[in-house]
């Protein structure tokens, strides 16, 4: 068991988070620390482990639901019972971060937990339950600054995602046709296969987010994804300039066009690429605006604050 506890001098809400094979847990720990003193957070790894010392009393218990089928796959029915036995009287919330890709696995959660928070707005509607809330993805604060001089880029443009499906190279062909002569291009087959450190090696990153519709974990009702993925927020926080194919229009609810430019037709690419490959000033300004937006509104600490405020109704928790 690994557990970390924070206590602010005037803590208002004690939150105990249980995680099982969650890749989010380590980053959320540092983000939760930034919520003190309004939120005092403790962490527990694994459903069978004992809570950390002093964490028995909780105003709210949150289960970070792991990707289904990952190591440490959980039985939500048994786990909901175990949590309520260990923390009698405390409201219990399930925090889902992989909807709608694993929607079928999470569909029973509203009947087992007091609150369910899903990362996807469209998936929330498909639960057909009043205790389900949207809690979008976010970023972990890194402290990177766009003011620091970046290393010389290896490529002028990095294309993440060649097309809508395996074997489809329609976007790559459109990008090559729109790319001004003399610019260096690097192509990655799928957006999800391009790690952030690779994206930082290009002036401009063009992304085709590859979130599937349907699939083995999303056959029951089949909601299509609508909310931007966590990569969009994290890359903006790390100072990566990105142009994103507007596959999920909800992106515009989180970022303005002068922060993360978007396109929905190939005809829009020549103007975007010409502007942002040519003008270092325009590119740097957009990157700084997107980074500032994330650090002001879209860090995981902001999501935790929203979760606590939703469950407790406590007006002292920052908005």
């Amino acid at each position: 068991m690994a557990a970390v506890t924070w206590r602010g001098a005037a803590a208002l809400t004690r939150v105990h988070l249980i995680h099982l094979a969650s890749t989010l847990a380590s980053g959320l720990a540092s983000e939760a620390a930034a919520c003190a003193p309004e939120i005092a957070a403790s962490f527990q790894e694994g459903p069978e482990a004992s809570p950390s010392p002093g964490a028995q009393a909780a105003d709210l218990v949150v289960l970070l639901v792991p990707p289904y089928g990952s190591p440490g796959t959980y039985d939500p029915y048994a786990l909901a019972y175990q949590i309520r036995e260990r923390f009698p009287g405390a409201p219990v919330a399930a925090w889902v971060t992989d909807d709608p890709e694993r929607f079928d696995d999470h569909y029973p959660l509203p009947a087992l937990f007091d609150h369910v928070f899903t990362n996807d707005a469209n998936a929330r509607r498909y639960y057909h339950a009043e205790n389900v809330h949207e809690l979008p993805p976010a970023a972990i604060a890194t402290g990177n600054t766009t003011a620091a001089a970046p290393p010389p880029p290896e490529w002028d443009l990095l294309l993440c995602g060649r097309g809508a499906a395996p074997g489809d190279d329609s976007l790559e062909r459109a990008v090559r046709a729109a790319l001004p002569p003399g610019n260096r291009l690097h192509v990655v087959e799928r957006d999800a296969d391009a790690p952030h450190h690779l994206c930082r090696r290009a002036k401009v990153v063009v992304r085709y987010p590859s979130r599937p519709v349907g699939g083995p974990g999303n056959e029951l009702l089949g909601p299509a994804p609508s909310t931007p993925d966590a990569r969009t927020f994290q890359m903006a926080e790390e100072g990566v300039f990105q142009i994103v194919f507007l596959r999920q229009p909800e992106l515009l609810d989180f970022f303005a066009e002068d922060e993360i430019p978007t396109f929905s037709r190939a005809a829009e690419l020549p103007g975007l690429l010409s502007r942002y490959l040519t003008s270092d000033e325009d590119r740097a300004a957009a990157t700084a605006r997107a980074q500032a937006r994330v650090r002001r509104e879209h860090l995981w600490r902001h999501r935790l604050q929203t979760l606590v405020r939703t469950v407790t109704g406590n007006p002292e928790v920052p908005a």
Side-chain angles (χ1 to χ4, degrees):
M1 185 199 84
V4 183
T5 304
W6 293 278
R7 287 289 182 266
L12 297 172
T13 306
R14 297 164 298 175
V15 182
H16 187 67
L17 297 102
I18 300 173
H19 62 96
L20 307 88
S22 172
T23 56
L24 173 60
S26 59
L28 189 57
S30 62
E31 287 293 302
C35 295
E38 290 84 5
I39 296 173
S42 57
F43 282 74
Q44 172 185 331
E45 182 179 358
E48 305 302 328
S50 299
S52 55
Q56 290 283 0
D59 301 308
L60 169 62
V61 180
V62 179
L63 171 67
L64 296 176
V65 178
Y68 206 82
S70 62
T73 291
Y74 70 111
D75 177 348
Y77 297 89
L79 188 53
Y81 176 79
Q82 293 170 6
I83 293 173
R84 293 188 188 282
E85 282 243 308
R86 186 171 293 167
F87 299 92
V92 182
W95 188 351
V96 175
T97 58
D98 62 349
D99 269 340
E101 287 81 359
R102 305 304 307 184
F103 177 82
D104 295 359
D105 304 318
H106 306 321
Y107 187 67
L109 294 178
L112 303 174
F113 294 86
D114 300 307
H115 297 269
V116 175
F117 291 85
T118 173
N119 58 289
D120 191 81
N122 195 39
R124 181 190 64 79
R125 292 188 284 269
Y126 280 74
Y127 279 100
H128 302 295
E130 293 184 359
N131 63 334
V132 179
H133 319 275
E134 180 190 359
L135 197 63
I140 298 168
T142 62
N144 290 354
T145 172
T146 55
E154 292 186 36
W155 313 292
D156 297 290
L157 191 148
L158 172 63
L159 173 61
C160 300
R162 302 176 67 219
D168 175 16
D169 65 348
S170 56
L171 180 55
E172 180 181 351
R173 286 185 281 109
V175 166
R176 288 187 183 277
L179 190 65
N183 284 281
R184 299 159 296 173
L185 172 66
H186 184 71
V187 179
V188 178
E189 181 74 27
R190 297 189 318 134
D191 178 57
D193 294 337
H196 298 175
H197 68 82
L198 187 73
C199 296
R200 289 195 294 269
R201 290 154 59 184
K203 281 185 182 178
V204 172
V205 176
V206 174
R207 297 179 54 221
Y208 191 106
S210 51
R211 298 180 64 192
V213 177
N218 186 18
E219 298 173 313
L220 181 64
L221 298 176
S226 65
T227 303
D229 57 12
R231 277 173 59 80
T232 302
F233 296 96
Q234 193 63 52
M235 288 172 64
E237 196 284 334
E238 294 179 14
V240 174
F241 175 76
Q242 50 188 320
I243 299 174
V244 180
F245 178 72
L246 196 58
R247 193 175 187 184
Q248 283 91 38
E250 196 179 309
L251 174 65
L252 300 179
D253 293 340
F254 298 92
F255 294 96
E257 282 282 352
D258 65 353
E259 296 167 346
I260 296 182
T262 65
F263 67 99
S264 55
R265 297 178 298 114
E268 299 172 80
L269 281 172
L272 286 170
L273 297 186
S274 176
R275 175 183 177 183
Y276 288 110
L277 285 170
T278 304
S279 175
D280 294 344
E281 182 178 325
D282 286 356
R283 191 172 62 251
T287 303
R289 283 191 292 265
Q291 187 179 68
R293 169 85 70 173
V294 170
R295 293 179 176 178
R296 186 172 64 248
E297 303 175 12
H298 302 311
L299 296 174
W300 285 111
R301 68 191 65 171
H302 302 132
R303 304 299 186 245
L304 180 59
Q305 289 166 341
T306 298
L307 186 154
V308 171
R309 196 167 55 251
T310 300
V311 173
T312 67
N314 191 338
E316 298 295 332
V317 176

